[in-house]
Amino acid sequence: MTSATPPLPVRRPPDPPPRPAPDRRSVLGLALGAGGSLLLSACGGVATTGAGGGGETLRWGWDLPSSWDPVFSSKGWDVHLLSLVYSGLTQLDAKGGAKPALASSWRYSHDGRRLTFTLRRGLRFADGTPVNAEAVKKSVERGKNHPKSLIASQLTSIDTVRAPDAHTVVLQLTEADYQLPALLAGKTGMVVSPTAFGKDEARLATRPVGHGPFRLVSYTQNSMASLRRDPGYWNAEHIAVERFEAYPKPDETTALAALQSGRLNVAQIPFSQVEAAREAGFTVQLIPSMVVRVLDVNTAMKPFDDPAVLKALKYAVDRQALLDSEQFGHGEVDHQPFPPGYTGFDPALGAVYRHDPERARALLREAGHHDGVEVTITTAQPQGAPEQLQAQLNRAGFRARIEVIPEARASQVVYVQHSRALYLDQFAGRESPVQAMQVLFGAEGLMNPSRRTTPELDAAVAAVRRTPLESPRYPEVLRAATAVAVRTMPNVFLYTVPRALARTSSVSAIPSLPVVQRFEGVTAG
């Protein structure tokens, strides 16, 4: 749908009570999305200011959500804006661990098949509905059972949901699953007002009703979202920004101009502009993220149905050269699905497929491909990395060509129709590492184009699911699963993709969090 939705009427919440200044000790830095270039109008009485100007408004350019309803949201990056208006039972800390949010605590039964959450008291959704156990029960059941739910596949381990009293939610599980506190920290666990989806479910696509740090007060589809701080939010004392404005991302070449003109006060900039931004007087944060550049390989198609050809591919790629060319050296060469420093990253893997074109050639010859082998690099990126990758493969004995397809069709062609053998993509981690592995490697995984896996990997992932997050063994078990995935699955991981965040002097540093972006302690004036 491309037409603009009529804006919501502006609903002004009462002025918040005085609150203590944010604790700056915990403010680190997390990249925002690509900066927008739209000229801001005064929204809700907020005047537009120039670069470095004051005001309690954070102005952010990012892709507006595919839907404001988390059950029907179809894009992974929607989670960042949805987290402004919704909360889950849990949230993630800076290391990816689960900590309390709407739930103040939780506990598992001895066999891991019952998970009990205790809710905070006195909270309400944006429509005034109490955030109680019955509301959480109905919201979880909707995500699990709605015939059109896009999160149902992540909730299959939940058998039943009970609300024995107003502040207790009990999840009865089909098997021991200790990943749920992490999984429920993201879009899968966002709690929606049952009054809202019971009255007019379709309305949630443009008019979200949750309990979050902000409330949406006006929205024009594909144009602008204006939000105000909710003083009733469970963690409101740590939300300093009064107004939040989100805009569609512009062409990346205009990001600096948007900052200089005051259209935005925070912007994601391309790596090629990092030095220019610093020279212009902006603070630039290069923030590690969960995004890893990857070649997705379909082993059900030639030539990668031959294990020797697949192994040759992994040795043919010069990851450092690609990183230097594409990202001006910002990031790290990475042979696995998780970035260095994350719990699931296995340091013991090292450079398991170090660049070795001669070894690649030898593998191809041993497989009978003395004159090389033809391969098509499918990409939505017309220039840059695909061309360099083509040259690398050709030097290693392949005969590579490039096929460019529209980005809007890529998911359908590669991951639904399974009709391409090699696709240059990137993967953003999920709240739960098991969820990430299911998406990448599972037999039904969305980003597994061949829909093939191995019994060894299935067993390793199942062991992670059965291990409590707080167990001393958990990091070891998770890293073992990572090692199995890297050695047995076809994905060719390349390098990490940090976020280059430029901000004006009016905006303080933004917390560094692994997946879902939050804004505790951030000031914008």
Side-chain angles (χ1 to χ4, degrees):
M1 180 175 179
T2 58
S3 60
T5 302
L8 288 169
V10 174
R11 297 175 291 150
R12 297 183 185 279
D15 291 334
R19 62 185 186 282
D23 183 359
R24 298 297 187 90
R25 292 173 297 177
S26 65
V27 177
L28 301 175
L30 177 65
L32 293 173
S37 63
L38 297 176
L39 179 64
L40 302 198
S41 60
C43 178
V46 182
T48 303
T49 60
E56 289 293 317
T57 303
L58 185 66
R59 298 185 293 276
W60 185 23
W62 185 258
D63 289 290
L64 295 177
S66 59
S67 171
W68 286 94
D69 186 339
V71 170
F72 304 127
S73 159
S74 61
K75 295 180 180 178
W77 55 79
D78 287 353
V79 68
H80 300 292
L81 282 186
L82 294 182
S83 67
L84 300 177
V85 293
Y86 293 104
S87 294
L89 293 170
T90 61
Q91 60 180 206
L92 299 182
D93 61 24
K95 294 184 178 180
K99 66 177 187 176
L102 293 181
S104 58
S105 63
W106 59 88
R107 67 183 184 278
Y108 274 93
S109 60
H110 72 281
D111 61 359
R113 296 186 60 179
R114 186 173 64 252
L115 174 57
T116 302
F117 289 95
T118 300
L119 302 181
R120 298 180 190 272
R121 298 170 182 260
L123 303 181
R124 292 186 177 273
F125 294 100
D127 62 357
T129 301
V131 181
N132 58 25
E134 189 62 28
V136 173
K137 175 180 183 292
K138 290 178 179 179
S139 185
V140 174
E141 289 177 336
R142 175 174 178 255
K144 174 178 172 59
N145 300 324
H146 196 290
K148 295 183 179 179
S149 171
L150 297 182
I151 61 173
S153 63
Q154 303 301 326
L155 299 171
T156 55
S157 66
I158 298 176
D159 185 20
T160 60
V161 187
R162 294 190 296 110
D165 61 57
H167 307 292
T168 305
V169 178
V170 180
L171 305 182
Q172 192 66 44
L173 309 181
T174 59
E175 60 181 333
D177 185 353
Y178 291 100
Q179 289 284 303
L180 281 173
L183 178 68
L184 295 176
K187 190 166 59 174
T188 303
M190 289 180 175
V191 181
V192 183
S193 166
T195 301
F197 63 74
K199 182 185 299 183
D200 187 355
E201 183 177 68
R203 186 180 177 90
L204 286 168
T206 56
R207 294 159 174 80
V209 185
H211 175 90
F214 300 91
R215 295 186 181 188
L216 187 70
V217 294
S218 67
Y219 178 53
T220 302
Q221 193 168 348
N222 301 320
S223 179
M224 177 189 180
S226 177
L227 305 99
R228 287 286 299 269
R229 177 181 176 274
D230 186 347
Y233 175 54
W234 71 268
N235 199 24
E237 64 179 308
H238 292 111
I239 303 298
V241 172
E242 294 292 340
R243 297 174 177 86
F244 199 111
E245 295 175 358
Y247 295 84
K249 68 178 180 182
D251 182 279
E252 65 178 18
T253 60
T254 65
L256 279 184
L259 289 166
Q260 290 170 328
S261 69
R263 297 172 184 173
L264 296 175
N265 48 25
V266 181
Q268 176 76 21
I269 62 174
F271 296 108
S272 60
Q273 294 188 15
V274 168
E275 292 308 316
R278 288 171 173 160
E279 291 175 1
F282 298 108
T283 300
V284 178
Q285 299 172 248
L286 290 171
I287 308 299
S289 78
M290 294 291 290
V291 180
V292 179
R293 195 76 153 140
V294 62
L295 288 171
D296 286 328
V297 183
N298 188 339
T299 56
M301 297 184 66
K302 292 184 178 300
F304 299 114
D305 57 343
D306 184 337
V309 175
L310 174 60
K311 195 170 185 179
L313 174 69
K314 294 185 176 185
Y315 284 111
V317 178
D318 187 342
R319 294 163 175 79
Q320 187 65 55
L322 289 170
L323 173 62
D324 291 342
S325 174
E326 278 290 286
Q327 299 184 177
F328 293 77
H330 299 303
E332 298 182 61
V333 167
D334 194 4
H335 294 252
Q336 46 190 300
F338 303 117
Y342 183 70
T343 305
F345 182 86
D346 182 11
L349 282 171
V352 60
Y353 296 109
R354 189 185 305 276
H355 179 227
D356 190 341
E358 290 306 315
R359 186 170 183 182
R361 283 182 176 275
L363 285 165
L364 293 179
R365 288 194 299 268
E366 291 170 11
H369 301 290
H370 299 282
D371 297 324
V373 61
E374 292 185 358
V375 61
T376 298
I377 304 167
T378 301
T379 179
Q381 180 180 339
Q383 296 177 324
E387 297 172 330
Q388 188 168 18
L389 180 61
Q390 179 187 33
Q392 292 177 6
L393 297 189
N394 288 343
R395 286 194 294 270
F398 290 87
R399 298 194 304 276
R401 60 181 290 270
I402 296 173
E403 176 198 30
V404 179
I405 60 176
E407 185 174 1
R409 292 186 57 235
S411 291
Q412 179 71 21
V413 169
V414 178
Y415 302 115
V416 178
Q417 298 175 358
H418 318 296
S419 61
R420 298 298 187 273
L422 183 64
Y423 181 63
L424 179 61
D425 201 0
Q426 62 183 26
F427 175 70
R430 302 299 198 265
E431 288 75 27
S432 157
V434 165
Q435 180 189 16
M437 289 187 175
Q438 289 175 329
V439 169
L440 279 171
F441 311 125
E444 301 299 325
L446 175 62
M447 293 185 68
N448 182 353
S450 65
R451 295 296 195 270
R452 294 178 176 179
T453 188
T454 67
E456 183 184 2
L457 181 56
D458 282 344
V461 173
V464 178
R465 188 191 294 275
R466 293 193 301 267
T467 305
L469 299 180
E470 65 276 10
S471 168
R473 293 187 60 248
Y474 178 73
E476 174 189 348
V477 174
L478 177 55
R479 290 167 188 165
T482 299
V484 171
V486 170
R487 296 185 185 279
T488 66
M489 296 303 288
N491 314 66
V492 184
F493 297 100
L494 302 174
Y495 48 84
T496 62
V497 184
R499 294 166 179 167
L501 171 64
R503 54 186 172 85
T504 67
S505 59
S506 66
V507 179
S508 65
I510 295 173
S512 182
L513 299 168
V515 184
V516 181
Q517 184 168 306
R518 303 195 307 272
F519 297 89
E520 290 98 328
V522 177
T523 59

